[in-house]
Amino acid sequence: MTLRGRLPVRQILCLLPLALVAVVAVQHRSVLAEGFGHLASAKWPWLLAAAAATCMTWVAASVTRQGALVQKLPKRRLLATQFAAGAANHLLPTGLGASAVNLRFMTVCGVPLARSSSALALYLLAESVARVGLLLGLLIAFPDALRVGGLVPDGAVGPLLLTVGAVVLVVVTVLLLVRRVRTAVFSFLRTALGEARSVHTRPARALALWGGSFSFPVFQAAGLAAVGQALGLPVPPLHIAVAYLAATVAVALVPTPGGIGSVEAALIVALVAAGGPAALATAVVLAYRIITVWLPLLPGALTLGALVRLKVI
């Protein structure tokens, strides 16, 4: 389905968050300019630590992918595939690029399509559970980590809670009334849980699955905390971790390629809620996204092309 015979509606919806971010950027261009100015004062050892944490996310993803599958995968090719999947993930929305690359990789390795799909579903489920679990645990341990009062106007808490409740009600209603959606969701859960039973009969696979699932967001948050240290952000590292997890959970369903635009906006808001100055929080997010998205993008794309030519994927 297209709009006026030009762009598909799905593509237009993917561009809406980017358009909103562009509007906000124009309105707050002075804050962005000040944020760019802070980058010149960054401490390079901390930036290198952030880059190292980013590299470890690919290792954690490899461990989790293997943990989600009983069949053994070639380690080096699996690691290279995770690096290449990162580039593909910035071309398609909501992680579809990485999922497609990994699904193809498992198929080439001789894993039947049904089992590779089950492993993919289990990976997504475990990563989601780990991320939300870490967020809830840190919020319980540090209830004052996010000071949302300054971001939410007086009298807006009630309408905000009503909006959240309405969204939850709509989701539940759709699941109950729309058979195709309900079937797809339940099929996903059955597939993931079925593979989980097989994986958890092997302690080594279960340890890899959950160890990697928890390590992945920990390394991501550690990278942001390192950038915060590099730029002197006056927010404790654990509070930065809470801000990161809250922001990524909030934008998980926003269908922008690689989260570009939506993640930046959510991270800035979360860091400000954690107590960081707006300009400095902007600088931290800009530096973090440069390290985690833009610097690996070209080598990741080249690796992806090489793996395709070598018929690894």
Side-chain angles (χ1 to χ4, degrees):
M1 185 170 65
T2 61
L3 184 64
R4 294 183 181 180
R6 294 181 181 180
L7 290 175
V9 172
R10 183 177 297 178
Q11 292 183 9
I12 294 174
L13 292 175
C14 290
L15 293 175
L16 283 178
L18 298 179
L20 292 175
V21 171
V23 171
V24 173
V26 171
Q27 292 178 343
H28 300 279
R29 55 186 177 275
S30 60
V31 176
L32 286 173
E34 187 177 350
F36 275 109
H38 283 292
L39 295 179
S41 61
K43 299 176 183 178
W44 286 99
W46 283 110
L47 294 182
L48 292 177
T54 299
C55 294
M56 290 304 298
T57 61
W58 301 319
V59 176
S62 300
V63 172
T64 310
R65 298 281 183 187
Q66 179 60 87
L69 186 67
V70 174
Q71 181 175 331
K72 188 174 182 179
L73 298 172
K75 296 180 180 179
R76 293 182 181 178
R77 283 185 283 171
L78 177 60
L79 180 59
T81 300
Q82 303 320 302
F83 180 56
N89 211 34
H90 298 307
L91 302 177
L92 294 172
T94 322
L96 293 179
S99 297
V101 169
N102 278 282
L103 191 63
R104 175 63 180 169
F105 171 70
M106 288 185 284
T107 302
V108 171
C109 289
V111 181
L113 182 59
R115 186 169 291 276
S116 57
S117 300
S118 299
L120 181 60
L122 179 57
Y123 171 88
L124 295 173
L125 182 62
E127 203 276 335
S128 299
V129 169
R131 187 176 297 271
V132 174
L134 281 173
L135 175 60
L136 293 177
L138 287 174
L139 283 175
I140 293 172
F142 305 98
D144 298 327
L146 295 180
R147 297 187 288 273
V148 297
L151 297 176
V152 181
D154 294 337
V157 175
L160 181 60
L161 292 177
L162 287 176
T163 301
V164 172
V167 171
V168 173
L169 181 62
V170 169
V171 172
V172 173
T173 302
V174 169
L175 287 176
L176 292 176
L177 298 181
V178 183
R179 183 176 180 181
R180 293 182 62 182
V181 175
R182 184 173 66 252
T183 300
V185 171
F186 288 165
S187 175
F188 168 81
L189 292 176
R190 282 195 301 270
T191 299
L193 294 175
E195 188 65 22
R197 284 193 293 269
S198 300
V199 165
H200 284 81
T201 59
R202 301 192 177 193
R205 288 289 187 269
L207 179 61
L209 174 66
W210 292 108
S213 294
F214 279 96
S215 297
F216 186 71
V218 166
F219 283 125
Q220 288 181 320
L224 182 62
V227 175
Q229 292 295 311
L231 291 170
L233 185 70
V235 178
L238 286 175
H239 290 196
I240 294 178
V242 173
Y244 174 82
L245 292 170
T248 53
V249 169
V251 302
L253 298 179
V254 178
T256 55
I260 296 174
S262 58
V263 170
E264 285 84 353
L267 283 175
I268 292 171
V269 170
L271 289 178
V272 171
L280 195 52
T282 301
V284 169
V285 172
L286 289 174
Y288 177 73
R289 294 293 277 177
I290 288 172
I291 292 172
T292 59
V293 176
W294 299 111
L295 287 181
L297 187 57
L298 179 58
L302 294 175
T303 301
L304 179 61
L307 293 177
V308 171
R309 287 195 300 272
L310 295 173
K311 297 182 179 181
V312 173
I313 57 177

